[in-house]
Amino acid sequence: MDANKAGKGEQGMQIPGGQMDRPVNFHIMESLLPKVVKRRVHALKRLQVQCANIEAKFYEEVHELERKYAALYQPLFDKRRDIVTGTVEPTDEECEWHSDRDEEEELAEEVKEKAAIEDAKKEEATPEEDPKGIPEFWLTIFKSVDMLSDMLQEHDEPILKHLKDIQVKFSEPGQPMSFTLEFHFEPNGYFNNAVLTKVYKMKSEPDASDPFSFEGPEIIDCEGCQIDWHKGKDVTVKTIKKKQKHKGRGTVRTVTKQVPNDSFFNFFNPVKVSPDGEMDEDSEFTLATDFEIGHFFRERIVPRAVLYFTGEALEDDESFEEEELEEGDEEEQDEEGDDDDDEGDFDPKKEQPQPAECKQQ
């Protein structure tokens, strides 16, 4: 995944790795300036820091605005959940929808009807029971979106069929900036939790050591929850058998032990940010990917779930990626052309904690 592209979202939020790149030798230009000019540049930098502080306040207010409008969206999302789970049957008026594909769908329906009549003549048709709500709504979304399907394992699918809703909750005024993803499940045979949670902690202030890198609120940590698995149903671990031979007697015994297992539900037991900020490359990548997924749930999946279910949002995402790729190709070609023109020129710029408890029913 490209951390730089994923770093800054629709509301300006960034994740580690999404900060703008600056030439390593930017200090060379400053050192070449006359002393009196350099002095004035320092004054401009002080002004820039003040601008960054004002920008941080702007994003804090944006967060409050998001929280305010989240309350207005919620009744609509609740109605979506009720339709998906079959708790509510929408009225004919609520189901009215016209799309460009209507005519094609009508023709397809006519063909289906004719085929059904023919089948009925051949054998007595048995009435099929109407499905409840929209079966496997969220599971279908998980399987359709690459970012989520990469985490999904076959043994996760029966569990995710019980997923009723995903909600985003914003931190209250006066609290540290954060948002929480809530995964609501119907009673099932896998765990006792009614809700699984994932909290993403954020900050919206320039780094004192590098204030010019500030580009908006930044996810700095995340915290999952403890899943209360039923006995033998924990899909995040697997049991393996291992033979051990006694060195002295030569006897062999078989021991069993549990080892980690790939599963979407590892999402609720994330890598923790090291207090000293020192992490190995694999952990940093895993954490950055986790932040990106959390941001994607918040900004795309939850607000536009039905469009990911139908695939329309996927088409939009693919079109956007294709446009980016085309632009990138053009830039690369331009750069190659420039290299040919400038061959032989020297360019100095080219130097080189424990999880929290989940909610119970």
Side-chain angles (χ1 to χ4, degrees):
M1 298 179 186
D2 189 332
N4 289 314
K5 287 181 182 175
K8 198 167 181 183
E10 288 85 342
Q11 273 67 50
M13 187 169 72
Q14 66 181 66
I15 61 176
Q19 297 176 349
M20 61 182 179
D21 296 325
R22 287 179 291 159
V24 177
N25 59 347
F26 67 92
H27 60 279
I28 295 179
M29 173 179 281
E30 192 172 326
S31 66
L32 297 176
L33 295 172
K35 189 174 181 179
V36 65
V37 175
K38 190 190 302 184
R39 179 175 174 274
R40 294 164 190 154
V41 169
H42 290 169
L44 295 185
K45 284 188 174 182
R46 287 178 62 89
L47 293 175
Q48 191 63 43
V49 171
Q50 293 178 51
C51 288
N53 289 326
I54 292 173
E55 187 179 9
K57 294 295 182 184
F58 163 77
Y59 283 118
E60 287 177 6
E61 293 196 20
V62 168
H63 184 75
E64 289 302 310
L65 201 59
E66 283 185 305
R67 191 182 60 80
K68 173 186 173 182
Y69 276 86
L72 300 179
Y73 286 126
Q74 196 54 51
L76 302 178
F77 293 156
D78 289 343
K79 185 69 175 287
R80 177 180 71 186
R81 176 202 60 212
D82 292 342
I83 293 173
V84 165
T85 58
T87 306
V88 168
E89 183 63 34
T91 65
D92 290 342
E93 183 180 355
E94 289 173 330
C95 292
E96 286 183 7
W97 183 259
H98 177 76
S99 71
D100 295 337
R101 300 175 185 172
D102 282 350
E103 292 182 6
E104 294 177 12
E105 290 173 357
E106 286 174 9
L107 290 172
E109 285 299 323
E110 289 178 10
V111 172
K112 287 180 183 177
E113 287 175 10
K114 289 178 181 178
I117 292 170
E118 291 298 321
D119 291 340
K121 289 177 181 177
K122 293 177 183 178
E123 59 181 338
E124 184 178 350
T126 55
E128 291 186 6
E129 187 177 333
D130 287 337
K132 183 181 178 183
I134 304 178
E136 302 182 12
F137 179 80
W138 291 103
L139 176 58
T140 300
I141 294 171
F142 273 63
K143 293 168 75 173
S144 301
V145 177
D146 289 343
M147 188 183 295
L148 304 183
S149 65
D150 287 346
M151 299 190 294
L152 194 64
Q153 304 298 319
E154 189 174 345
H155 48 252
D156 295 324
E157 294 186 17
I159 308 175
L160 289 171
K161 289 179 181 180
H162 297 284
L163 180 58
K164 298 190 301 182
D165 197 20
I166 305 175
Q167 298 180 9
V168 180
K169 303 292 185 183
F170 294 91
S171 54
E172 294 296 323
Q175 297 294 319
M177 187 182 291
S178 69
F179 67 91
T180 302
L181 299 177
E182 294 184 349
F183 295 74
H184 294 251
F185 287 83
E186 63 188 13
N188 60 80
Y190 298 93
F191 48 72
N192 293 318
N193 312 79
V195 184
L196 301 182
T197 59
K198 184 76 169 282
V199 181
Y200 287 89
K201 302 174 184 179
M202 302 156 64
K203 73 171 185 177
S204 181
E205 57 186 27
D207 189 327
S209 63
D210 189 14
F212 304 133
S213 67
F214 181 74
E215 292 185 318
E218 178 183 4
I219 297 176
I220 56 172
D221 198 3
C222 60
E223 183 177 328
C225 68
Q226 187 72 42
I227 301 178
D228 185 14
W229 294 99
H230 291 173
K231 186 176 180 180
K233 296 295 185 178
D234 186 351
V235 295
T236 65
V237 295
K238 60 182 176 182
T239 301
I240 61 171
K241 292 183 178 180
K242 195 173 183 180
K243 290 186 177 181
Q244 291 181 342
K245 186 175 182 180
H246 194 280
K247 291 182 179 179
R249 295 192 296 268
T251 55
V252 177
R253 68 173 182 175
T254 301
V255 297
T256 61
K257 66 175 183 177
Q258 288 190 326
V259 296
N261 192 30
D262 290 338
S263 169
F264 162 73
F265 291 92
N266 289 321
F267 180 70
F268 300 98
N269 185 25
V271 173
K272 295 301 296 178
V273 174
S274 174
D276 59 7
E278 294 295 327
M279 299 180 71
D280 60 68
E281 191 174 332
D282 287 344
S283 296
E284 282 186 353
F285 177 79
T286 301
L287 198 59
T289 301
D290 191 315
F291 291 173
E292 185 177 356
I293 291 168
H295 183 62
F296 194 75
F297 267 118
R298 163 187 158 168
E299 296 293 342
R300 307 286 292 177
I301 298 295
V302 173
R304 311 180 73 202
V306 66
L307 301 182
Y308 281 97
F309 177 79
T310 62
E312 292 164 86
L314 296 172
E315 292 175 5
D316 292 343
D317 290 347
E318 287 169 4
S319 297
F320 180 71
E321 288 173 4
E322 286 173 6
E323 287 173 9
E324 280 193 335
L325 184 62
E326 288 170 5
E327 290 174 5
D329 288 344
E330 289 175 6
E331 288 175 6
E332 189 175 339
Q333 289 171 5
D334 290 343
E335 288 173 3
E336 288 174 359
D338 292 343
D339 290 343
D340 291 340
D341 294 339
D342 299 336
E343 189 175 353
D345 293 344
F346 173 71
D347 185 355
K349 292 184 180 179
K350 291 184 180 178
E351 291 180 3
Q352 298 306 323
Q354 290 297 318
E357 289 296 327
C358 291
K359 298 180 182 178
Q360 303 290 327
Q361 283 184 309

